Amino acid sequence: HKHKQVSASEDLGCRRGDFSRKHYGSVELLISSDADGAIQRAGRFRVENGSSDETLDYTPGTWRRTDVHLENPEYHTRWFFKYFLGKVHQNYVGTDAEKNPFYLSVVLSDQNNQRVPQYRAILWRKTGTLKISLPYSPTKTLSVKSILSAMNMDRFEKGPREILNPEIQKDLLVLEEQEGSVNFKFGVLYAKDGQLTDDEMFSNETGSENFDKFLSLLGDTITLQGWAGYRGGLDTKNDTTGIKSIYTVYQGHELMFHVSTMLPYSKENKQQVERKRHIGNDIVTIVFQEGDDASSSFKPSMIRSHFTHIFALVRYNSQNDSYRLKIFSEESVPLFGPPLPSPPVFTDHQEFRDFLLVKLINGEKATLETPTFAQKRQRTLDMLIRSLYQDLMPDLHKNMLNRRSFSDVLPESPKSARKKEEARQAEFVRIGQALKLKTIVRGDAPTSLVTTGLCRKEPWESQLFCSTFPYDIVCADSWGQSVLVATDAAGVMLLDGESLPPVHMFDRTMVVKQMHVLEPQDLLITRTDKGKDARLYVFRLSTIKKGLEERQLIRGKCDSRENKLEKTKGCHLYSINTHHGSELRIVAAIRNKLLLITRKHPRFSAVATGADSPVEEFQYIREICLCDPPVVMSLVDGPTGENDNMICVAYKHQFDLINESTGDAYRLHHAEANRVNFVAAIDVYEDGEAGLLLCYNYICYYKKVCPFNGSTPMIQSNTSDFHFSWNQMPNAIVCAFPYILAFTTDSIEIRLVVNGNLVYTAVVPELQLAASRSDIYFVSSAPVSSASNCSSRDTSSQSSPQTPTGYEMPMFPSPLGDGEATCKHIFKIPLCNLVGRSIERPLKSPLVNKVLTTPAPTMVAPAPLISATHSLSLSRMEIKEIASRTRKELLGKRKNYFLSSLCFILKSSSKKLIPQTHFGLQEQLYRISTGSY
């Protein structure tokens, strides 16, 4: 392997851009036959059976399971319910250039009570919803037009007008619920050893002891008659669908299992139609198969169902008390996680339960994105949106203000009109809160249990690296376990965490704007100064280290003249290749000219002479002219390195791919937007083949780059290409397989590389990414005194501001007193936690001669910016108040039952855990009362 000499940190930094979809299975043609060998059915399914790739370059056992996550969790994605409903916000209606109606909802909220005000906007269209966050500025007014422009909508047939009728909230809640149910029903089919047809499997009257053990692991046995929780289509009045069933609540989702042996059995009906009616209409089905691995195995083609898209095959091994899992997904289902471990065997039963339930929930959500379901959802959305538009037409002139901008201050109006507006807002909020409560009581609220995952450490959890750093960081890079930081005010310094004071390396005359620390190459590269005076400088790390140890004077610009790469004068940007084990390549952009520089092999360079400056080791290869100066640049390694290396550049409205050898340019992607904010072009390597993540505005595109004829890259639409949208405009993006992280002005948005699905959004006030080539370092004003201060628990109902109206603009108090400067801290996310591969040897700090032993994880005091607890914005007092105000219209005949349940639950609020056996309504109310929402 050509990169074996690379150090542990460098190796890990390189590998974070490598990813593989093989972890998520491969598509196979599966054929089932009857006892006589005749083919019955065939189908193409993606089969997940754990990774069995022997060619991977890491030894077995070094791959550590990353945590199991729900993808696109509702408490992060159902914005209207969480942030809009029951709060003052604006809703607008308009028609686009194609005369299709659309709706826009806007709210100004405080992110999770962390004093991070921001606008949230939802655009409702027949193709689905688009959600974005925009930073709030008290000095800059934001218009409806500018928000729609950020959503790439600039042309309208009818411009947006505000809807003042509070009943619009009910209709928009219905639109949001089209994204899918928050509760799930799954089939569970029992199959004896040797059974090969669905008729045989459905005809099993009872299960086995092992099957009963598995059912008790899945959930609780409940009596259906009188059941008040989520019923999943089962009869809870007349026992026509069985007497008992299996039910559980997982991370706020109610799950009902359609168990074949618990559904009605008919001796006369061989096909067991009543059982198939339920299980055959489940999108996801678990098949529990008796027998060992050597016996004939289940195939999806054995089941006659056009609706079931995912089968989870479970086998129990009594010898070692373990479960084995295999997943079959219909070919059209997009990839979903978590990927199965290798081998897919679970000895820890609770771990298996968590993995299985998350896999099933993610699988059903992924299936809803297949063409069949997506087209059906689009037709429903189109019908609902058009119907709502027709209903609103008579009111368009009577009850609306044309093109009212929600942050423009309106002229002072008479006192009576002001009171009228305040009364309208109060009624608007009251109706919204009543709707919210009704949804919660019904069990359809997108929530998360407060008791879920409290002790689990997330892979993106940060650690405090350096508190109260007084300077603004321009750029940084990691050096061993230390970080090299460039500032305008104090020059360049080396930080070694909290234990040692900063060590100054360069004074403020060295205005460093970009840098790379390459330990295996004993090299520091910097871009210094700006404009015509800008140049690249190269230094030996060993020389810098020696200077530090001997306590020599801090270097200045005058002391670094010998380290200047003269031909790079005027350089405004540079990029290096990721995998530089064999040859380091640097491309410097000097206005619209690219200068390719390589480093000679050390054997033939000045290393032998012991020269302090490595300048003589670099050679200028060629210049390439572009039509415009590049804004973003990335180097892509070709498969051979012989005339097939490429440079990705972004300028104007496009990403181009430049052949390093010939200078030929190829259009890679055109950005369809009026204004383009280029963020990054990240070179990633899927199973060794080059690809690019192209990031601009809110969009992230993945493009595979296939070599063709040895030199010309073939760029065409590929089935492996995909794209997704961020919720907030990123300032920087980091890829660390299986995750991709977007760093915005006040949050870290964490998604999965393979499908772009959201995993988590962490609120991080005044965020700035500092370094990410190895471990990730970022700066923030987030408090570090306790984890609770950084919690994502949303208590914004009591302190979040209302959307500004014509009469008032909310004031966001600063966490600090007047006149105090914001206190910034440096945090670290260890890359090994994200990519799930262990570093086999400790890293050495350049400040210490002896090898440091890496501290045990328990020794590091984490300051997590991310908590696993979430809540909706309803306090106990608010629940009481809303219940009393709306009990007549909400509850009708169930008033007494509801109030008695609510009083009982409120009295029991001292309980710490929710028993799994609580009935659905009681559990929902208990979670409200304890602040779990």
Side-chain angles (χ1 to χ4, degrees):
H1 191 260
K2 66 180 182 179
H3 306 310
K4 284 296 179 187
Q5 283 77 35
V6 180
S7 75
S9 63
E10 197 71 29
D11 189 27
L12 198 67
C14 292
R15 289 195 306 202
R16 70 178 171 81
D18 295 340
F19 78 101
S20 173
R21 285 183 243 210
K22 290 180 181 176
H23 296 292
Y24 296 84
S26 56
V27 175
E28 298 176 18
L29 176 64
L30 300 177
I31 301 169
S32 64
S33 53
D34 58 21
D36 300 324
I39 293 175
Q40 288 185 310
R41 278 173 301 282
R44 289 178 64 82
F45 283 81
R46 189 171 63 252
V47 183
E48 293 183 62
N49 200 19
S51 175
S52 57
D53 192 346
E54 300 292 329
T55 63
L56 296 175
D57 65 338
Y58 54 88
T59 55
T62 61
W63 178 268
R64 180 174 55 77
R65 266 233 68 74
T66 51
D67 285 297
V68 174
H69 310 292
L70 285 177
E71 297 174 19
N72 293 329
E74 280 73 13
Y75 43 89
H76 282 311
T77 59
R78 300 292 175 93
W79 279 19
F80 190 76
F81 181 90
K82 185 173 181 181
Y83 299 109
F84 292 72
L85 198 59
K87 297 174 186 173
V88 176
H89 64 275
Q90 273 82 45
N91 299 295
Y92 298 85
V93 61
T95 52
D96 62 19
E98 284 76 42
K99 299 186 178 181
N100 294 311
F102 67 85
Y103 303 93
L104 176 71
S105 300
V106 184
V107 70
L108 177 62
S109 64
D110 181 6
Q111 271 224 43
N112 301 327
N113 198 27
Q114 295 211 9
R115 307 184 184 213
V116 182
Q118 62 173 201
Y119 292 105
R120 290 179 186 271
I122 306 174
L123 180 63
W124 315 82
R125 306 177 79 177
K126 69 175 185 180
T127 50
T129 59
L130 178 62
K131 309 176 184 86
I132 65 168
S133 295
L134 293 161
Y136 164 79
S137 170
T139 57
K140 185 182 176 184
T141 59
L142 198 60
S143 66
V144 179
K145 191 176 179 183
S146 63
I147 286 184
L148 287 169
S149 182
M151 293 170 148
N152 209 21
M153 268 192 77
D154 293 288
R155 294 185 299 119
F156 315 101
E157 194 226 0
K158 287 183 182 175
R161 286 173 281 184
E162 188 176 359
I163 306 166
L164 299 179
N165 188 341
E167 295 295 331
I168 186 67
Q169 297 173 95
K170 187 176 182 179
D171 298 302
L172 295 178
L173 187 61
V174 170
L175 290 184
E176 183 169 77
E177 286 171 351
Q178 301 311 305
E179 292 180 23
S181 172
V182 297
N183 302 319
F184 297 87
K185 55 188 182 70
F186 299 128
V188 183
L189 181 59
Y190 174 68
K192 291 179 181 176
D193 190 9
Q195 290 184 334
L196 299 175
T197 66
D198 55 356
D199 286 351
E200 290 176 317
M201 297 174 198
F202 278 105
S203 296
N204 291 322
E205 196 168 351
T206 58
S208 63
E209 186 182 334
N210 289 339
F211 183 57
D212 292 340
K213 186 178 175 182
F214 172 66
L215 291 180
S216 65
L217 180 65
L218 283 182
D220 299 305
T221 303
I222 53 107
T223 302
L224 285 172
Q225 196 166 50
W227 176 250
Y230 173 66
R231 61 189 185 91
L234 298 179
D235 180 9
T236 57
K237 293 179 180 177
N238 303 312
D239 290 341
T240 60
T241 56
I243 297 168
K244 294 184 181 296
S245 189
I246 301 295
Y247 165 90
T248 192
V249 176
Y250 187 78
Q251 293 200 27
H253 300 284
E254 291 184 76
L255 311 180
M256 182 65 81
F257 295 93
H258 295 156
V259 183
S260 61
T261 56
M262 289 182 166
L263 290 166
Y265 172 76
S266 170
K267 288 184 179 178
E268 292 76 29
N269 190 329
K270 279 189 177 182
Q271 291 194 359
Q272 302 299 331
V273 174
E274 186 59 32
R275 290 179 169 183
K276 287 181 181 177
R277 186 167 69 87
H278 289 285
I279 296 175
N281 284 306
D282 290 329
I283 292 174
V284 180
T285 292
I286 302 168
V287 178
F288 184 92
Q289 189 166 43
E290 297 281 12
D292 56 27
D293 293 340
S295 59
S296 56
S297 184
F298 166 84
K299 291 178 184 176
S301 46
M302 295 173 179
I303 305 296
R304 285 170 291 186
S305 169
H306 296 292
F307 199 79
T308 307
H309 282 62
I310 295 167
F311 295 91
L313 178 62
V314 174
R315 284 179 182 252
Y316 176 71
N317 186 334
S318 56
Q319 292 180 341
N320 59 5
D321 192 26
S322 66
Y323 287 97
R324 175 179 279 270
L325 182 61
K326 189 175 186 178
I327 303 291
F328 300 90
S329 306
E330 202 274 327
E331 186 182 18
S332 64
V333 178
L335 298 180
F336 61 94
L340 267 64
S342 183
V345 175
F346 299 82
T347 52
D348 183 322
H349 292 188
Q350 193 56 46
E351 183 184 297
F352 172 62
R353 178 181 187 269
D354 287 344
F355 188 97
L356 179 63
L357 294 183
V358 170
K359 190 73 174 172
L360 300 183
I361 293 170
N362 288 345
E364 178 153 331
K365 288 184 189 176
T367 303
L368 297 178
E369 299 306 316
T370 59
T372 306
F373 286 96
Q375 287 163 13
K376 184 181 177 183
R377 184 173 63 249
Q378 186 170 326
R379 284 196 299 269
T380 306
L381 267 177
D382 190 23
M383 182 189 71
L384 288 171
I385 286 171
R386 288 187 183 280
S387 172
L388 178 56
Y389 185 72
Q390 292 300 320
D391 293 343
L392 288 169
M393 281 297 286
D395 293 336
L396 281 178
H397 300 291
K398 189 171 71 174
N399 289 332
M400 297 186 193
L401 295 172
N402 191 29
R403 296 178 182 273
R404 184 171 109 173
S405 173
F406 60 84
S407 64
D408 293 340
V409 179
L410 298 179
E412 280 297 319
S413 43
K415 205 170 185 179
S416 58
R418 183 170 180 171
K419 282 186 176 179
K420 190 177 177 183
E421 173 68 7
E422 286 172 355
R424 186 194 72 79
Q425 286 191 2
E427 178 67 5
F428 188 92
V429 169
R430 188 191 71 79
I431 287 176
Q433 288 184 338
L435 271 170
K436 190 172 237 180
L437 180 61
K438 191 174 183 180
T439 309
I440 291 167
V441 172
R442 202 171 63 229
D444 292 332
T447 62
S448 165
L449 273 177
V450 72
T451 52
T452 299
L454 282 178
C455 302
R456 189 173 77 179
K457 189 173 181 181
E458 299 290 9
W460 49 75
E461 198 167 288
S462 61
Q463 304 164 358
L464 178 64
F465 180 75
C466 178
S467 62
T468 324
F469 188 71
Y471 307 108
D472 288 334
I473 295 177
V474 178
C475 60
D477 202 1
S478 51
W479 183 357
Q481 292 288 51
S482 307
V483 63
L484 195 60
V485 170
T487 68
D488 282 340
V492 179
M493 61 189 79
L494 192 65
L495 306 178
D496 203 27
E498 294 282 86
S499 56
L500 295 171
V503 177
H504 283 264
M505 288 177 40
F506 296 97
D507 63 24
R508 54 191 297 179
T509 60
M510 282 287 285
V511 186
V512 175
K513 299 294 184 186
Q514 201 178 345
M515 70 163 75
H516 284 86
V517 176
L518 308 179
E519 293 174 74
Q521 305 256 357
D522 188 29
L523 199 63
L524 167 66
I525 308 170
T526 69
R527 175 170 62 84
T528 305
D529 289 330
K530 58 183 179 180
K532 292 180 180 178
D533 296 326
R535 282 181 179 80
L536 294 190
Y537 288 73
V538 287
F539 304 88
R540 288 195 206 287
L541 289 174
S542 54
T543 304
I544 294 171
K545 184 181 174 183
K546 186 179 176 185
L548 292 173
E549 288 167 351
E550 295 175 1
R551 299 188 179 279
Q552 290 182 356
L553 291 174
I554 301 168
R555 281 174 176 252
K557 195 173 177 182
C558 294
D559 307 311
S560 307
R561 281 176 294 199
E562 298 298 317
N563 300 84
K564 211 185 284 182
L565 293 177
E566 276 297 345
K567 286 192 178 180
T568 61
K569 184 178 180 181
C571 169
H572 70 274
L573 183 70
Y574 81 90
S575 185
I576 68 169
N577 55 322
T578 308
H579 298 88
H580 38 258
S582 53
E583 181 187 53
L584 172 66
R585 306 190 332 269
I586 306 173
V587 172
I590 307 162
R591 292 179 295 280
N592 63 338
K593 181 178 71 178
L594 300 184
L595 179 61
L596 176 61
I597 307 165
T598 61
R599 191 185 191 190
K600 300 169 190 171
H601 198 282
R603 277 187 307 171
F604 309 113
S605 69
V607 171
T609 66
D612 281 346
S613 171
V615 165
E616 294 302 316
E617 300 168 22
F618 289 86
Q619 53 188 349
Y620 302 98
I621 306 300
R622 67 180 58 84
E623 288 183 0
I624 298 169
C625 286
L626 305 176
C627 55
D628 279 278
V631 181
V632 161
M633 189 163 58
S634 178
L635 273 58
V636 183
D637 293 331
T640 65
E642 298 293 328
N643 301 324
D644 58 2
N645 292 324
M646 290 162 278
I647 310 163
C648 177
V649 292
Y651 40 55
K652 286 186 174 176
H653 281 63
Q654 68 203 55
F655 289 89
D656 283 356
L657 208 54
I658 315 292
N659 185 301
E660 267 185 25
S661 303
T662 63
D664 295 337
Y666 310 90
R667 177 69 55 84
L668 187 61
H669 179 75
H670 180 76
E672 299 288 343
N674 282 346
R675 276 185 248 163
V676 180
N677 175 50
F678 290 112
V679 181
I682 303 170
D683 59 316
V684 291
Y685 300 86
E686 183 181 355
D687 300 319
E689 293 184 358
L692 281 159
L693 281 166
L694 309 176
C695 311
Y696 63 94
N697 294 1
Y698 293 84
I699 306 290
C700 196
Y701 271 90
Y702 171 71
K703 289 268 189 182
K704 205 160 192 174
V705 181
C706 309
F708 184 66
N709 285 346
S711 60
T712 307
M714 182 172 64
I715 305 154
Q716 60 184 29
S717 181
N718 193 305
T719 53
S720 61
D721 292 352
F722 62 88
H723 71 276
F724 59 87
S725 293
W726 302 100
N727 288 332
Q728 196 164 347
M729 181 94 72
N731 297 320
I733 287 173
V734 178
C735 181
F737 182 75
Y739 306 104
I740 180 167
L741 291 77
F743 289 77
T744 76
T745 52
D746 50 36
S747 67
I748 303 175
E749 198 172 319
I750 301 153
R751 293 178 179 266
L752 296 179
V753 175
V754 291
N755 53 21
N757 285 347
L758 181 68
V759 174
Y760 202 88
T761 304
V763 180
V764 190
E766 298 183 83
L767 172 66
Q768 180 200 350
L769 178 68
S772 64
R773 290 186 60 253
S774 184
D775 291 334
I776 296 169
Y777 294 88
F778 62 88
V779 183
S780 169
S781 62
V784 295
S785 56
S786 68
S788 61
N789 290 346
C790 304
S791 153
S792 295
R793 172 171 286 187
D794 186 353
T795 53
S796 56
S797 62
Q798 297 164 54
S799 56
S800 71
Q802 294 184 339
T803 311
T805 66
Y807 308 108
E808 60 181 354
M809 178 69 80
M811 296 299 292
F812 289 92
S814 166
L816 301 167
D818 291 340
E820 290 185 57
T822 307
C823 183
K824 296 284 186 76
H825 313 288
I826 301 176
F827 296 90
K828 171 183 174 179
I829 303 174
L831 188 64
C832 59
N833 290 356
L834 284 169
V835 301
R837 292 172 180 163
S838 57
I839 297 179
E840 291 156 1
R841 55 187 181 275
L843 304 182
K844 187 178 178 182
S845 166
L847 290 179
V848 184
N849 284 322
K850 60 182 180 180
V851 175
L852 296 175
T853 54
T854 308
T858 52
M859 300 294 287
V860 179
L865 296 179
I866 302 161
S867 165
T869 60
H870 314 272
S871 65
L872 298 179
S873 26
L874 285 173
S875 69
R876 265 178 280 178
M877 291 305 295
E878 286 176 311
I879 292 292
K880 282 184 176 178
E881 186 182 343
I882 297 166
S884 64
R885 270 207 316 253
T886 60
R887 60 183 180 274
K888 287 181 182 176
E889 59 182 288
L890 266 180
L891 306 169
K893 294 177 183 177
R894 297 180 66 189
K895 176 179 70 174
N896 294 331
Y897 170 65
F898 172 81
L899 290 176
S900 60
S901 298
L902 181 59
C903 293
F904 168 75
I905 296 300
L906 289 172
K907 286 175 185 174
S908 311
S909 62
S910 58
K911 294 179 186 176
K912 291 185 179 176
L913 293 175
I914 303 167
Q916 258 191 344
T917 51
H918 261 289
F919 284 169
L921 178 62
Q922 289 176 323
E923 179 172 3
Q924 298 281 5
L925 291 170
Y926 177 76
R927 281 150 58 193
I928 297 165
S929 69
T930 53
S932 311
Y933 273 122

